[in-house]
Amino acid sequence: MARTPEEWGALLGSTLAKMQASDPRFMLPAMSPDCCRIITETIAVIAAEARSQGYDDALLGLQQGKMAGRSRLHA
């Protein structure tokens, strides 16, 4: 099951908060390379999951469309 945008946001926020707690210099003066890497990797996972969900939804739609077409032919 895919995560919602809110769940992804909470996961990313929690991860960044834990990184901040472990190193007070983490966000000073700007985002560290680790912060940028975590954000980039998280967005890549979100995009891959969304793409996969889109493929699954499209395939399901095609399958349901074929089933509906067959039932009309046999009716």
Side-chain angles (χ1 to χ4, degrees), residues 3 8 11 39-52:
R3 289 186 171 128
W8 279 113
L11 179 62
I39 291 170
T40 301
E41 289 175 3
T42 303
I43 291 171
V45 169
I46 292 168
E49 186 173 297
R51 191 175 303 114
S52 175

Side-chain angles (χ1 to χ4, degrees), residues 2-63:
R3 289 186 171 128
T4 65
E6 292 79 15
E7 290 170 330
W8 279 113
L11 179 62
L12 180 57
S14 172
T15 302
L16 293 174
K18 289 175 185 172
M19 291 175 78
Q20 171 81 33
S22 69
D23 183 2
R25 297 172 299 138
F26 179 67
M27 298 288 274
L28 298 176
M31 287 193 299
S32 72
D34 283 337
C35 182
C36 292
R37 181 183 53 80
I38 293 293
I39 291 170
T40 301
E41 289 175 3
T42 303
I43 291 171
V45 169
I46 292 168
E49 186 173 297
R51 191 175 303 114
S52 175
Q53 186 64 42
Y55 291 150
D56 292 345
D57 291 347
L59 183 58
L60 182 61
L62 287 172
Q63 289 172 345

